Structure formats: C-alpha cells, structure tokens
Amino acid sequence: MEPAVKEHVQKEIDRLAKKEVFIHLETTNGAYASHFDETFFSSGAYIRNAQLVYEHGKVTGKGPYRVGLKMNFGWVYAEGITHFEVDEDNRLLLAGHDFSGKLAVALQISETPFE
Amino acid sequence: MEKERHVLVIFPHPDDEAFGVSGTISLHIDNGTPVTYACLTLGEMGRNMGNPPFATRETLPKIRKEELEEAARVLGIQDLRMLGYRDKTVEFEDEEKLANRLGVIIGETNPSLIITFYPGYAVHPDHDATGAAVIRAVKELPADKRPKVHCVAFSNNCEEEIGQADVVNDVSAVIDRKIAAIKAHASQTQLMAANMEESIKNQDPEVLARMYKERFWTYKI
Ligand SMILES: [Zn+2]
C-alpha cells in the first residue's frame, strides 16, 4: 500500500459512485488488547460484502483522512485512513494503520464481491 | 517426553503453533512420530501488515498461507491441513458441525495425542472455540479410544483457576527450529523475532524460560 493521496483517493471514490458495489468495512483493536492491558475496552466490527450504491463520496481531513459515502438512505463512514491501493482487480483498498503499523480500520470498495 | 503413535495439532491461526508448541512438534518429529497440523483459518483478519505495510486485507491470507507452509516445512510436518474457516468467525460456526469435522480428522489420523487450546483460557475467541470443538469431538469417542489432550492456556487468570501446567517440555535441543518456525511467519513476527533472538543472545531469563519450556495442561475429559 501507499500513503494515501487525497486527490487520487477522491478520483477512485468518484469512479465507483452510482454503481452497485461491495463494501468491506472494518474497525479493530485486536483480540489481545484487553489481555495485555486489562483496563482497555476491546471493541471492533466488520461487515464484508455489503452491497450498496452510494450517490457520492468524499475524502476529508489533513491525514489521517476521513471518508464518507452518501447513500439514498444512509451513510458509510471511516476515520483514520492512512494508506491506499487500487489492486489488480481495480478494487479501492483504504486502510488506517496505527503508530506501530497495525491495521486499525479498513474501507474497501469493489465492483465484484470480496472472496 | 512420551513416544506417541501420532500427534494431531489443532489451532485456528497460522502462527498459533509457532510460539508455544513448535519445539514440542520438533521433538515428536525427531522421535519418528508423524505430526498432523490442522489449521482452521488463514488469519485473514490479522492486524500486522508490515511497517510500512506490505500486505493488504486482501493479500494477507495468501501471504499467511505461504508462511504457514514454510513453518510446516521448517518443522518437518508432513501433513498440513487448512480447513478453510475464516479468522474471528470460528465461535459463530455451528458447534456440532465443527466438532464433527474435527472428529473426522481425529478418526482418520488416529492420534495418541492431540494438542489444542484450553477452552476458556486461551484469550482469543477463535482459540477458545477451537479448543471447545476439539474437546467435544473427543468426548464423542468411546472412553477407551480417546487420545490424550494437551492444552495451551495463557489467559491472565489461567493458573489461578486451572493450576500449574502438568506437562512441561524442555525444547532447548530444538530451539533453532523453533526460532525458524517463528520467523517463517514473517508478516506477524518480524519485529518480535528480532527482539527475541537478541534476548536469547543476552540470556534474558524471562525470555529463555518462555522459549525453552513449553507448557501444557492435560484436559481431563
Ligand atoms: Zn491465534
């Protein structure tokens, strides 16, 4: 992955707007967080292959970035995006890695389902 | 260490075998005992992507599969089975179906010893669910056909509740292979492995104790 470039990410978000797309959205602090620090409240969520259409989307902030996709009937939101890649299947992979390099958030948009 | 007929190792993630069990696996293989390793997932949801990141959420499974194969090769495991479950979802599988699937592997390999996680004391929900499914599968067997089950436990409360490990294997004779197995899981262990080697060189007593002694709790079924 490359450090996120706002203009490039925006172009990709535009490319995938108004189409049926599949979304992978994830936030995680790892299953071991509360094991190593019992005062830490562990939480996380992910959805893989949610099928939707967004009308438009935006990448904002000075980095790490925020991304919001506006649908007819709702929103998709991710915060903390640091890296991006358009992979060989033309899927937009956005990820946020924490200060030690561990994945903390992911938002991925594809025209075909993720495996 | 007792000589076994066949050892079956069942864990949910590539690298689960590396830290706590790879020395014991090596000792069994040196003993001439065949080892089967059934790994339920490919650790698809791992958080270590390299720094700077060389893996993505989508390439990680392929990378970790290759690392798992390399670790098996380093340890001399001939029979590596990847069961195709998904990381972080094992606890949501149908428990009976999962136990039956593991039961088939137990039936096929006819192990005298199974190594897995101690359900309830293995921190990650996939670990606990895997251990529970193994115990359920073993309970299905007639009492005189049941293999021994050695469990790995490491939750903060485990010694308070289940006491001290009753099986402690000294793996210093095969420590090089153990380190090689840990290193094989490069995407997950890169930083850690470097620190570990340094600590071993400096004879850090805590690291030595953890690396050289593998601890198991015999599950009483
Ligand atoms: Zn694990």
Side-chain angles (χ1 to χ4, degrees):
Chain A
M1 300 195 108
E2 302 287 322
V5 178
K6 209 171 171 182
E7 297 70 31
H8 196 158
V9 171
Q10 184 63 55
K11 213 179 78 200
E12 293 300 319
I13 289 173
D14 294 344
R15 174 176 67 83
L16 293 158
K18 296 191 168 73
K19 283 180 189 165
E20 287 258 305
V21 290
F22 296 86
I23 301 272
H24 171 98
L25 177 64
E26 165 186 1
T27 160
T28 171
N29 51 43
Y32 298 101
S34 297
H35 175 66
F36 293 123
D37 174 3
E38 290 186 352
T39 64
F40 189 90
F41 181 81
S42 193
S43 69
Y46 82 84
I47 180 164
R48 190 160 176 83
N49 286 328
Q51 198 177 8
L52 55 85
V53 177
Y54 60 91
E55 292 305 309
H56 78 271
K58 255 191 223 178
V59 51
T60 61
K62 296 190 179 107
Y65 300 104
R66 298 176 298 281
V67 171
L69 310 178
K70 184 169 192 179
M71 296 180 284
N72 266 339
F73 46 87
W75 287 92
V76 174
Y77 171 85
E79 175 185 357
I81 299 298
T82 58
H83 288 81
F84 89 121
E85 178 176 314
V86 178
D87 73 1
E88 69 275 11
D89 297 320
N90 241 345
R91 306 181 291 194
L92 175 59
L93 311 182
L94 300 170
H97 298 98
D98 69 14
F99 301 116
S100 63
K102 287 190 196 323
L103 187 90
V105 61
L107 170 58
Q108 305 181 155
I109 310 172
S110 169
E111 293 182 72
T112 53
F114 294 97
E115 291 133 44
Chain B
M1 213 178 66
E2 250 174 90
K3 161 106 172 117
E4 300 295 340
R5 179 177 64 241
H6 193 124
V7 175
L8 172 60
V9 179
I10 306 178
F11 288 134
H13 309 125
D15 82 1
D16 284 339
E17 85 293 348
F19 291 100
V21 183
S22 58
T24 298
I25 291 174
S26 296
L27 291 174
H28 283 297
I29 286 174
D30 284 357
N31 257 343
T33 303
V35 175
T36 296
Y37 178 17
C39 189
L40 273 69
T41 83
L42 293 177
E44 291 89 346
M45 296 298 277
R47 297 182 66 223
N48 291 309
M49 300 290 179
N51 193 9
F54 60 80
T56 70
R57 190 37 92 237
E58 301 310 311
T59 60
L60 190 65
K62 186 169 165 275
I63 292 170
R64 295 196 69 178
K65 178 172 183 254
E66 283 162 11
E67 291 172 351
L68 175 60
E69 286 163 343
E70 173 61 11
R73 195 191 60 76
V74 161
L75 295 173
I77 295 171
Q78 306 273 0
D79 183 15
L80 170 65
R81 305 185 187 196
M82 293 173 262
L83 304 192
Y85 294 93
R86 190 178 171 86
D87 192 8
K88 275 191 166 176
T89 66
V90 178
E91 64 178 323
F92 305 110
E93 289 288 343
D94 182 304
E95 288 163 44
E96 190 183 347
K97 276 192 197 154
L98 178 59
N100 287 345
R101 176 106 188 261
L102 300 180
V104 169
I105 298 173
I106 294 169
E108 229 175 87
T109 51
N110 187 26
S112 51
L113 171 66
I114 297 179
I115 297 175
T116 189
F117 281 117
Y118 204 120
Y121 299 95
V123 182
H124 193 299
D126 286 344
H127 296 175
D128 286 337
T130 299
V134 171
I135 299 303
R136 184 171 171 152
V138 171
K139 276 186 179 158
E140 293 286 317
L141 298 170
D144 60 328
K145 290 268 169 14
R146 287 176 194 155
K148 281 173 292 183
V149 181
H150 289 174
C151 294
V152 174
F154 64 103
S155 65
N156 294 331
N157 65 344
C158 71
E159 287 200 342
E160 258 162 57
E161 296 193 12
I162 55 174
Q164 299 263 330
D166 61 320
V167 177
V168 181
N169 294 332
D170 181 342
V171 302
S172 41
V174 292
I175 197 70
D176 291 349
R177 257 180 284 163
K178 177 168 183 166
I179 291 171
I182 292 171
K183 279 183 162 174
H185 296 284
S187 70
Q188 305 304 299
T189 62
Q190 226 169 20
L191 280 177
M192 214 183 306
N195 291 341
M196 203 177 304
E197 267 183 307
E198 188 63 28
S199 308
I200 288 174
K201 227 178 270 160
N202 299 334
Q203 301 279 301
D204 178 333
E206 207 182 296
V207 173
L208 287 184
R210 217 173 31 192
M211 280 293 285
Y212 283 60
K213 299 259 194 282
E214 294 183 348
R215 306 182 307 155
F216 301 92
W217 283 255
T218 303
Y219 197 96
K220 291 168 196 79
I221 290 172

